[in-house]
Structure formats: structure tokens, C-alpha cells
Amino acid sequence: MDRKLLTSIILSLLIGTGIGYSISVPQISTLQSEKSSLESELATLITDYSNLNATYNNLNNSYNELLTQYSILQGIYEQLEEAYELLNTAGLVFDGLRISDLNVTNGYLYADLIGNVTNISNKTMSKVYVVLFTYEADGTLYDYHVKTIENLAVNETNEFKFFGVLKENQKFKVLAVGSYGLADIESDEVARLLAMLEGANARIAELEQMVNYEVYVLSDQNYYQSIINDLKNANETIIVAMYSMIYDPDDSFDWANDLIRELVYAKERGVNVTVIIEYRTYWGYMDENLEAYNFLSANNVNVRLDNETDTDHMKLVIIDDEIVYIGSHNWSESGLYYNHETSVKIVSENIARIFKEYLTTAFGI
């Protein structure tokens, strides 16, 4: 090959390579910059995911703790119902008796307790049960004792004595209940039932103090009576996440209509109302919820249908960032009036915040 031609080819290649490189440098720089930016975004996303995962775990732990406490409280509530029913059936009188002149006297190992009980009602009591409750240092019920007084006349005072029952500096409470003879019940059974009530109330107080909240168990129609008052008294915010919300404007008796309309009334008086209604589930669409959605939307309430394929089975209401309703009650005529349902009302800013954070994570409210 001709040396000049070869030289020309080599020079052309070198020039072409140089031109190509000079053109590619800015593009390479841009790509490197974009790569760095994407790496930074990826690192941010990984951090955000880690934070969200930690938040989810915290919320999940809090939710599981709430479920545990709810289960405990439900058991306590059932005990209370049983005790109250038995005591009421026994015809016991919780008013009309006065305890006075309590005196603790030292014994050999344990102290004695002496006091008086007076019938301040207008009828002779055939039996009066004086019950002494003693407590551990942490406030839990330790033991109970009962004394029975027969035929305590109006304004009559009778002395009672409990021997060797109190440890040094032990806390105690004395309660007296009477009977006008409408029914009879063994004194030990009275003491057992009253002790059940006392222990249950102490456990509720302990749970409330532990997490700084008030809790009310609402069965069947009690839920409606409670929540409608809180909706009417809401001042700032209402958040509702409901699996079934059925609006039937042609039914004048339907309690669900009342609750749904209260959301509109709250909106009209300036309350920030947010509603999430389940629509699309694993098995299909809940068209029966559309009437409620359309009604709320037409009245300018911030409402959305949950159109994800998963099923959100929540019956959750948060009012003024402090009051939480959660349980089995749907906002439907059957759920509020006919079915046997159980929910709880919790009054706690901390608990309300946990549930609100969960809704924010799940729905971006």
C-alpha cells in the first residue's frame, strides 16, 4: 500500500477518534452525573423504606398491644356483666348504708379492723353484708372478708369486727350492701361477686394508668348512642375508615343514616372530615357503599372509595385526635341495631396518634 495513503488513513482515524471523544466527553459527564443522582435517589429511597418499615413495625406492635389489652378488657367486661346481673337478681341495695368510726387496732401478727354501719334508708334491711377488701402495695386486690348483720332497723347502728386481717400499713376498703328481703344470697357469694367487681375495676384503672387512656366497652346498640354524641360534639377533626357504610335515605329509622348525616353536619360547622369507604375487595366490589359515598361527596365531605384489590376490614373512627372507636360495628342498619357487635371507645391522644399514623401510612390521608 502506498505510504502516503496509509498515513492519510491513520491520520483520518486519529482525527475521527479525537472528534468522537471530544463529542462524547460531555455526554459521558452527563451520564455520570445522572448515575450519581440516581444512586443518591436510591440511597434516599432505601432510607425512606427503612424508616417506613420501622414505623410500620412500631405501629404493628402498638396495634398488637392494643388487641391484647382489648381482649383483656373484654374479659373484664364480661366478668362485670356477670357480677352485676347476679347482684341485681339478688335484690341487693347499694345505697342507704353508712360506714363510720373505722379503727385499726394492732394484733399479734396482723391488725384488727372495727367499725360501725348505720341503716340510713327508710326500711329495715333483713341482711347487711359488710365486705372488707385488702390490697397489695401496687393496688391489686389481695383478699376479701365478709360479715353479715341481720335485721338492721332504720337509723340503727351496728358494730362489725374483722380480726387479724390487716398487715402493717396495708391498704383496705370497706363496702356495705343490704337486702330488703326480696331475694336471698349467701354472704360468701356476695363477697365473691363484689370482689370480682372490685378486682375488675382495679384492673381497668391499672390499664388506664399504664397507657394513660380511658376505655369504654360498647356492645350492640350502646355503640350508636355513644358515637353519635361524640360526632355531634366534634370540634376539629373526624376521620372514618369503614368497611361497610350503607346510606338508605328512604328508611327514616336507619341509625346508619344518622351517623352519615352527622358527618355532613360536622363539615358544615367547620370540622375537617375525612372518610375512607371500602369498595374493591379480594372477591369483588361493594356497590352497597356507593350511596353513602355519593351522598357525602355531594355535600362536599372529603370522601374516597378504597379501590385497591386488597380488603380493608376496618371499622375505625378518630375524633378530635383524641377519641378512638374501633371494633366490629359497621355503619349499617344491621351492624348498629340488629346484630350482636362489640367495640371499644378509647380516649387518649397517644392512641389516637398511633391509629392516625397507621391510616396515613396506609392511605396517605
Side-chain angles (χ1 to χ4, degrees), residues 107-128:
Y108 175 63
L109 293 175
Y110 295 92
D112 306 329
L113 179 67
I114 301 173
N116 292 324
V117 57
T118 304
N119 182 358
I120 58 174
S121 72
N122 57 4
K123 293 172 61 178
T124 296
M125 293 191 182
S126 60
K127 286 188 178 180
V128 172

Side-chain angles (χ1 to χ4, degrees), residues 222-343:
N222 292 327
Y223 172 91
Y224 167 82
Q225 304 296 343
S226 178
I227 197 169
I228 195 167
N229 287 329
D230 285 331
L231 291 173
K232 289 178 178 179
N233 293 321
N235 294 314
E236 297 180 1
T237 60
I238 298 174
I239 301 173
V240 180
M242 195 61 53
Y243 175 72
S244 176
M245 182 182 289
I246 301 177
Y247 182 64
D248 184 5
D250 296 327
D251 188 347
S252 60
F253 179 76
D254 193 338
W255 284 358
N257 293 341
D258 299 340
L259 300 186
I260 295 167
R261 288 169 183 151
E262 282 302 327
L263 299 178
V264 174
Y265 301 151
K267 168 68 176 177
E268 290 174 346
R269 66 174 182 268
V271 177
N272 185 1
V273 181
T274 301
V275 181
I276 302 167
I277 309 174
E278 179 65 359
Y279 181 57
R280 187 180 182 186
T281 68
Y282 289 117
W283 49 266
Y285 293 90
M286 299 182 65
D287 292 333
E288 62 271 23
N289 285 342
L290 289 177
E291 191 74 31
Y293 170 79
N294 292 333
F295 173 75
L296 293 172
S297 181
N299 285 277
N300 300 314
V301 173
N302 179 19
V303 58
R304 75 175 78 167
L305 292 172
D306 179 28
N307 203 30
E308 299 296 325
T309 54
D310 59 350
T311 299
D312 293 307
H313 207 250
M314 290 174 290
K315 296 93 177 180
L316 173 62
V317 180
I318 306 172
I319 300 173
D320 287 339
D321 292 332
E322 182 182 26
I323 301 172
V324 175
Y325 284 86
I326 188 168
S328 69
H329 286 85
N330 281 302
W331 282 19
S332 62
E333 185 174 20
S334 58
L336 296 172
Y337 189 81
Y338 294 107
N339 295 351
H340 287 301
E341 307 281 357
T342 304
S343 295

Side-chain angles (χ1 to χ4, degrees), residues 3 14 45 54 57-58 91 105 110 123 125 132 150 157-158 210 217 232 236-237 260 281-282 303 322 334 345 364:
R3 180 174 293 179
L14 290 173
L45 287 172
N57 288 334
N58 290 336
T105 59
Y110 295 92
K123 293 172 61 178
M125 293 191 182
L132 168 66
E150 303 280 347
T157 298
N158 202 311
M210 182 173 62
V217 179
K232 289 178 178 179
E236 297 180 1
T237 60
I260 295 167
T281 68
Y282 289 117
V303 58
E322 182 182 26
S334 58
K345 171 185 173 180

Side-chain angles (χ1 to χ4, degrees), residues 145-211:
H145 310 269
V146 61
K147 296 290 182 181
T148 304
I149 299 170
E150 303 280 347
N151 298 317
L152 190 64
V154 176
N155 293 325
E156 181 182 359
T157 298
N158 202 311
E159 185 181 64
F160 57 84
K161 299 178 182 179
F162 294 95
F163 295 106
V165 293
L166 296 175
K167 295 185 288 187
E168 186 177 1
N169 298 321
Q170 187 173 25
K171 295 180 180 178
F172 66 88
K173 179 195 288 187
V174 178
L175 177 65
V177 296
S179 170
Y180 292 132
L182 300 176
D184 195 16
I185 184 171
E186 294 295 326
S187 60
D188 287 343
E189 180 66 2
V190 172
R192 185 187 73 82
L193 293 173
L194 291 175
M196 183 187 296
L197 292 176
E198 188 67 17
N201 287 324
R203 179 59 173 146
I204 289 174
E206 177 189 347
L207 290 172
E208 290 177 353
Q209 184 176 11
M210 182 173 62
V211 293

Side-chain angles (χ1 to χ4, degrees), residues 7 23 34 63-64 66 100 102 106 159 161 189 200 220 253 267 283 313 327 333 353 356:
T7 302
I23 294 173
E34 291 177 355
Y63 175 71
N64 289 333
L66 283 172
S100 61
L102 289 177
N106 293 327
E159 185 181 64
K161 299 178 182 179
E189 180 66 2
D220 301 336
F253 179 76
K267 168 68 176 177
W283 49 266
H313 207 250
E333 185 174 20
R353 176 181 52 78
K356 189 173 181 180

